[in-house]
Amino acid sequence: MRFLLLAFLALFVASPAALAQAHKGRPAAAKKAAPRPAARPNWLTTIVKTPEAGYRIGNPNASLKLVEYGSRSCPTCARFAAESKPLFSSYVASGKVSYEFRDFLIHPQDIAISLLGRCVPTARYFSTLDAMFAGQPGFNARGQALTDADFKALEDMEVVPQARALSDKLGYTAFFKQRGMTEARVTQCLADRPALIELGKITGDAQKLGVNGTPSFFLNGRKLDNVYSWAQLEPLLK
């Protein structure tokens, strides 16, 4: 085959007429299309678990890195979640700000609901967190309706059974099942000892940084004192 190919090429080299004939009728070379500009990353779908065991949304190289230590049962945290939509639609979407949420355990139910909230697929982490905050008034109302007998029974339980009981009584189990989590998965998530240890470490590390309540914000590693609302936070981002 190689000899035939060489002979074929030699024919055109030896015969300009043959070369001209071969070229005749060829379509003109297509003009090179201009390279398309690189697609802009969608930072609102860029979600990862960080080495500090929080979850971050946005540009990992953003010039402003915002971290919130929050409790999923904290009303002030829920209020911040409701009023801070521009944080995501403007600041995070632009790539200028990344936002990371780290669970800080305050109330008894925080163990159960943090375990469940961190047990969803990473891509659904922040949509689930938002839905938990949106439904918080109903969850907390059920907690306030617990009787002394309920609390006594809870006190006598080990951590895992207590977490399950609180999840059931406050409506979180139903919340997650409505979003596709199976009974087996709920049980598995609430019994996840390494995840429980991880939650304890996040809270312990936060306390060493001076966190003693929620929400607590850090901007580029600096704690923002007396900042609890979007109205207080946005000027600092600007």
Side-chain angles (χ1 to χ4, degrees):
M1 180 65 73
R2 181 167 178 265
F3 294 110
L4 287 173
L5 179 59
L6 289 174
F8 182 72
L9 291 173
L11 171 66
F12 286 100
V13 172
S15 172
L19 184 59
Q21 182 63 32
H23 184 72
K24 187 179 179 182
R26 273 189 196 170
K31 194 174 181 180
K32 274 191 176 181
R36 291 183 179 180
R40 182 178 174 181
N42 184 350
W43 298 123
L44 293 177
T45 59
T46 305
I47 302 170
V48 298
K49 186 176 181 180
T50 67
E52 295 77 17
Y55 283 80
R56 183 186 65 220
I57 181 171
N59 180 3
N61 298 313
S63 58
L64 295 175
K65 295 175 173 58
L66 178 67
V67 174
E68 177 187 353
Y69 286 94
S71 157
R72 296 171 193 250
S73 61
C74 159
T76 307
C77 299
R79 186 164 58 249
F80 175 80
E83 66 192 15
S84 63
K85 302 306 180 187
L87 169 62
F88 301 95
S89 62
S90 179
Y91 293 90
V92 172
S94 72
K96 295 176 183 177
V97 176
S98 66
Y99 167 79
E100 180 178 346
F101 185 86
R102 298 178 188 172
D103 283 286
F104 189 82
L105 306 178
I106 292 181
H107 303 124
Q109 64 266 41
D110 285 345
I111 293 174
I113 65 182
S114 298
L115 286 170
L116 291 171
R118 293 164 63 83
C119 213
V120 299
T122 300
R124 287 171 43 201
Y125 178 88
F126 283 99
S127 60
T128 301
L129 180 65
D130 285 345
M132 292 178 79
F133 278 136
Q136 189 198 89
F139 300 135
N140 285 357
R142 295 184 191 95
Q144 291 166 0
L146 293 177
T147 65
D148 290 341
D150 290 326
F151 282 113
K152 176 58 180 169
L154 289 166
E155 286 173 6
D156 294 336
M157 293 179 184
E158 296 291 330
V159 172
V160 173
Q162 184 188 83
R164 179 58 197 253
L166 281 168
S167 179
D168 290 349
K169 288 178 181 296
L170 273 59
Y172 287 101
T173 302
F175 170 90
F176 280 94
K177 285 184 175 180
Q178 287 164 5
R179 285 158 178 79
M181 190 175 282
T182 64
E183 168 64 25
R185 183 63 173 159
V186 170
T187 301
Q188 181 186 38
C189 293
L190 292 175
D192 189 339
R193 293 284 180 177
L196 183 59
I197 292 169
E198 188 174 63
L199 276 174
K201 187 177 186 306
I202 297 171
T203 299
D205 289 347
Q207 289 172 330
K208 292 174 186 175
L209 295 173
V211 176
N212 54 19
T214 58
S216 287
F217 296 98
F218 287 75
L219 187 59
N220 288 355
R222 180 175 66 89
K223 188 173 184 293
L224 304 179
D225 293 325
N226 301 314
V227 173
Y228 309 107
S229 68
W230 174 240
Q232 293 168 324
L233 176 63
E234 187 178 21
L236 302 179
L237 298 179
K238 287 182 176 180

